[in-house]
Amino acid sequence: MLLFHTGRLDKGGEDTWQSLMAEASPAVAATSSSGTGNDSERICAVRPDVSLEIPVLPVALKEIALAELDRIDRQKQTVLKFAAIIGPVFTTQQLAHILPACAKARMHSLLDMLVGDKILKRLENTEVPEDKRGATEGLATSGQAGSGVERPAASKKTAQQQSGILAFSAPLLWEASYELWPTRQTVDIHHKCAAFLQRHAHKCQRCHGGDFVPSHCFGVSSPQEQGSCQSSADKDDWRSWEALVLAGEHLRRARTYTPDGFLAEDDQTTVRAEDGGEHSCQCEAIAEAVLVPLARHYMAVGSASQAFYYLLECAAAYLHVSNSYMALVKLKEAEVLRRSLEKKANAIDRFDEAIFFSLRGEICSTMGRVKLAKKMSRQALSLLERRFPRTRAGAFVKSLMEGLQRAPQATSRTSSLPHEARRKKLAWLLQRSRCLSLLEHLYSQESTSGGQRFSRLAALMKANTDRKMSSYQAADSHTR
């Protein structure tokens, strides 16, 4: 899980995506001096393909936990096994959706018994922030059975039962409960979990719903990945939504690590809380309780393309709430998955590949890595079949070509396209426009004549792209 290497003490070096990810990775450095002036440091860092969100526990500990779980009632075991597939935190609605009928009838009484046995714990339904925890607190230990704000004893039990949100008392119990399953038997249940969550995989009401990557589901080619494109708002069970939001808030608070240079968790909470009111933004909680688990469920069933899709949605969601660190973490996971699929042809949709580089560009821009942001945005545009020149001569020629373009009309060819094809084209045009907008902004910050020329070119290309989008939208409205 760890990687050791020797590095120079100077922090300068090539501006690459790998160096950016290295800055965001937990690392410990020990400085040594040989007396020759060649000071260096031995660095111990977490390997790029290791996720700190998934506990990896010693086999001996798992065996102890499995032995304890083997002694409990079979019906309790069944509830634990199904809950473990959902994740370390789950709602009663999620559990009821996947439980077999024989266990569903006694679900609530079995959960009460498991809470009494200290295997599970209830998370209180409260919007009052918990006291600031130390770095070792969260879901990491079994001693934190009461993870919410304490209430008067008379109303505590009622409030807990109404919340419908539970968690394993310790990661050891979660992982051990999952080990009770033979691998093949979990596939169908992971599919059920994903189907439940897909209805909620969109922005909150305050942010007007929709994909976190604009029109994401319309841009991909695979019909399997368009399942979440249906009108989610009409289908949503708002009790399930609210429970997932509360579960997501608990998951968010359980995170403890944020490296220097990134916005701290408490600062993010303050930014979101300024809006306040009934319709404050719930998108980060949805990222935690819906999008992150969706990627995990699809990885478990071997659907790498859909796992990649939801990792991109995760990254976009975290960028949406100004959490650059978690966006970087999710793109890091997406890169590991992408590399594992390099030998498989067309494993990842071209549109998703473009989104991957586009999100990289946005993160680099947020973190002040301007040169790297430009490189990533160019790569995204290339995948979206809209190349952006690298040289001044290329920019001059491209400007002439773009200047000759006229506003396209809603021709019969555009109108005759099938509805799905028009929506896909619009999604591609929208993503091109976003990349060009970022390039325009980045180059406009430069005081050089070359920078201003590239900025004007990006603005011109964006204007032409936006006019083409308007043409497709007009054709779409005429055929309805």
Side-chain angles (χ1 to χ4, degrees):
M1 294 178 66
L2 299 178
L3 182 68
F4 294 90
H5 63 91
T6 303
R8 299 286 299 176
L9 279 174
D10 58 274
K11 301 301 179 183
E14 190 179 355
D15 192 14
T16 64
W17 179 253
Q18 283 69 30
S19 68
L20 182 62
M21 287 197 299
E23 283 185 17
S25 298
V28 176
T31 305
S32 63
S33 177
S34 60
T36 61
N38 295 324
D39 288 351
S40 62
E41 57 185 6
R42 185 163 172 77
I43 299 170
C44 168
V46 177
R47 287 185 178 274
D49 57 344
V50 172
S51 172
L52 296 179
E53 296 176 12
I54 302 173
V56 180
L57 302 169
V59 175
L61 279 180
K62 276 197 224 178
E63 289 175 351
I64 294 171
L66 283 168
E68 290 297 319
L69 292 174
D70 277 338
R71 297 174 187 171
I72 69 173
D73 179 78
R74 284 291 176 188
Q75 286 191 311
K76 288 184 187 178
Q77 268 193 33
T78 300
V79 170
L80 281 177
K81 286 166 64 177
F82 279 86
I85 291 181
I86 298 172
V89 176
F90 60 93
T91 70
T92 51
Q93 292 97 329
Q94 285 176 287
L95 187 58
H97 183 75
I98 62 173
L99 274 178
C102 58
K104 195 182 298 185
R106 292 192 60 207
M107 182 184 77
H108 289 289
S109 60
L110 290 169
L111 288 173
D112 286 339
M113 286 187 274
L114 288 166
V115 170
D117 295 337
K118 306 297 184 185
I119 296 173
L120 298 178
K121 59 183 179 182
R122 291 192 180 273
L123 303 179
E124 292 186 20
N125 183 353
T126 174
E127 296 180 3
V128 180
E130 299 173 60
D131 292 337
K132 192 172 181 179
R133 299 179 178 183
T136 60
E137 293 184 324
L139 295 178
T141 64
S142 59
Q144 299 145 0
S147 62
V149 174
E150 290 296 322
R151 295 183 178 184
S155 62
K156 183 176 178 181
K157 185 174 180 180
T158 304
Q160 287 177 333
Q161 288 178 339
Q162 287 176 347
S163 70
I165 307 160
L166 296 98
F168 284 85
S169 294
L172 173 62
L173 295 172
W174 170 41
E175 195 168 339
S177 298
Y178 192 87
E179 292 287 329
L180 294 171
W181 283 102
T183 304
R184 291 181 181 178
Q185 292 182 17
T186 63
V187 173
D188 287 342
I189 305 165
H190 277 293
H191 273 299
K192 286 183 179 179
C193 290
F196 179 91
L197 293 173
Q198 272 189 320
R199 296 178 298 155
H200 305 282
H202 55 80
K203 292 179 183 176
C204 67
Q205 183 180 8
R206 180 185 175 277
C207 299
H208 311 295
D211 296 331
F212 286 95
V213 175
S215 299
H216 192 178
C217 58
F218 300 124
V220 293
S221 300
S222 171
Q224 290 182 339
E225 291 178 1
Q226 295 180 10
S228 60
C229 297
Q230 299 166 3
S231 181
S232 300
D234 296 336
K235 294 182 174 183
D236 275 353
D237 175 351
W238 287 102
R239 284 179 59 195
S240 296
W241 172 274
E242 292 300 330
L244 286 167
V245 167
L246 289 166
E249 282 299 321
H250 283 285
L251 287 165
R252 183 185 65 78
R253 290 171 190 161
R255 274 194 274 108
T256 58
Y257 177 79
T258 303
D260 294 337
F262 289 89
L263 188 63
E265 289 293 325
D266 291 335
D267 294 335
Q268 293 171 36
T269 305
T270 304
V271 170
R272 286 193 304 273
E274 285 177 357
D275 296 316
E278 184 181 351
H279 299 298
S280 57
C281 181
Q282 300 170 325
C283 289
E284 186 165 11
I286 288 300
E288 297 281 358
V290 177
L291 299 177
V292 172
L294 271 170
R296 179 171 55 81
H297 290 310
Y298 280 119
M299 280 295 293
V301 302
S303 181
S305 61
Q306 287 185 283
F308 191 79
Y309 176 99
Y310 282 108
L311 283 172
L312 297 181
E313 282 289 303
C314 286
Y318 285 121
L319 276 176
H320 176 69
V321 296
S322 302
N323 190 338
S324 299
Y325 170 67
M326 284 306 297
L328 191 61
V329 167
K330 292 304 160 186
L331 283 183
K332 184 179 175 182
E333 291 178 25
E335 182 173 31
V336 171
L337 178 56
R338 178 173 168 267
R339 285 182 177 177
S340 71
L341 299 171
E342 281 179 348
K343 295 181 180 179
K344 296 181 181 179
N346 303 319
I348 294 176
D349 191 271
R350 186 183 179 94
F351 186 71
D352 272 345
E353 189 92 0
I355 297 296
F356 175 67
F357 284 102
S358 175
L359 290 171
R360 275 179 159 192
E362 289 184 45
I363 289 179
C364 292
S365 174
T366 301
M367 298 178 65
R369 300 293 190 90
V370 175
K371 184 178 178 181
L372 197 54
K374 292 175 187 174
K375 179 182 177 181
M376 296 299 167
S377 297
R378 278 197 178 96
Q379 283 184 273
L381 282 170
S382 179
L383 287 163
L384 292 167
E385 301 170 4
R386 192 87 161 98
R387 295 185 180 277
F388 193 83
R390 297 176 182 273
T391 64
R392 290 190 182 187
F396 175 74
V397 174
K398 187 70 172 176
S399 296
L400 292 175
M401 293 172 63
E402 292 290 326
L404 293 173
Q405 289 189 24
R406 296 182 179 179
Q409 302 298 319
T411 61
S412 57
R413 182 170 175 268
T414 303
S415 302
S416 63
L417 284 174
H419 183 56
E420 292 296 326
R422 281 199 301 274
R423 288 200 297 187
K424 181 175 181 177
K425 186 66 176 178
L426 277 169
W428 279 58
L429 289 169
L430 178 58
Q431 199 57 41
R432 289 178 190 171
S433 180
R434 288 171 63 87
C435 291
L436 289 166
S437 179
L438 180 59
L439 283 172
E440 178 191 359
H441 169 72
L442 293 172
Y443 279 111
S444 69
Q445 305 302 307
E446 298 180 12
S447 57
T448 62
S449 60
Q452 295 305 309
R453 175 174 292 177
F454 279 113
S455 179
R456 288 193 298 270
L457 173 60
L460 180 58
M461 292 174 69
K462 181 182 183 301
N464 285 337
T465 301
D466 290 347
R467 281 196 290 268
K468 193 176 289 187
M469 282 174 57
S470 299
S471 171
Y472 275 91
Q473 288 167 343
D476 202 29
S477 62
H478 288 151
T479 54
R480 286 181 182 175

